[in-house]
Amino acid sequence: MNPELVLWGVGTSRTIRPHWALHELKLPYTRKPILPRTGETETPEYTALNPRQKVPLLQDHTLVIGESAAIIAYLAKTYPDQAASLIPKDSETYAKWLEWCFFIVTELDSTSLYVMRRHGQIKGLSHIYGDAPGVVAQAAEYFRKQLKHVDAALSDGREYLLGEQFTTADILLTTCLTWAIEYQVAICDSATPYLDRVLNRPAYRDASAANKPG
């Protein structure tokens, strides 16, 4: 099936994920640079596509799919590039890929970083959800505790989370690590050279430009 891709959403750590996957897979797409919490996700046109009024959102022909981790997994499975397959093929590594993806989006993203975003003052939404310094401090500590699992994996010198293959798990992890740095949360030592490698990927640079508003 030839792709007919439209990606809605820019400007956040979650919206950059599908932009990045699209560039890794060398897929052409139409960019809809709408932002969250500006009213742009509440228009009748967008609400008809996504009643949850969230970004990012991907359209592919008649398919409409939200949630950044789901979007990049869909793209990787449906349109694998011979030079850049973003999902492991053998069953054992695939299982570890699933484990990493679920771990990152639950323990690092939603349970830790997004709690800090909702209740913190550094690029946060405390003006909407309430300022809660104690909650933010606990979320940051929980993030650092969970990051020990990432440190243990990367400390053996592997290039990416699953070894030599760059996958969507690396996209998810990288966005969480850069997000944490923005929130002044210390990351593990092994993540520093890992980030240097990943952030120098041409597809990441292209995605960063595509993820900018305007």
Side-chain angles (χ1 to χ4, degrees), residues 199-211:
L199 297 181
N200 278 314
R201 294 178 70 86
Y204 176 79
R205 295 195 293 268
D206 291 340
S208 295
N211 193 48

Side-chain angles (χ1 to χ4, degrees), residues 5-36 46 54-59 65 67-76 84 86 166-168 171-172 175 201-214:
L5 302 168
V6 179
L7 180 61
W8 298 75
V10 294
T12 76
S13 295
R14 291 174 176 171
T15 57
I16 194 175
R17 294 167 179 172
H19 287 288
W20 190 355
L22 285 160
H23 284 280
E24 289 283 353
L25 296 168
K26 301 177 178 62
L27 292 169
Y29 68 102
T30 300
R31 176 177 169 269
K32 298 285 188 177
I34 67 171
L35 289 160
Y46 190 74
K54 301 284 188 178
V55 289
L57 187 78
L58 179 76
Q59 292 175 268
I65 180 173
E67 301 300 327
S68 60
I71 292 171
I72 63 178
Y74 165 78
L75 289 169
L86 301 180
F166 179 85
T167 71
T168 64
I171 292 177
L172 296 174
T175 55
R201 294 178 70 86
Y204 176 79
R205 295 195 293 268
D206 291 340
S208 295
N211 193 48
K212 291 180 179 178

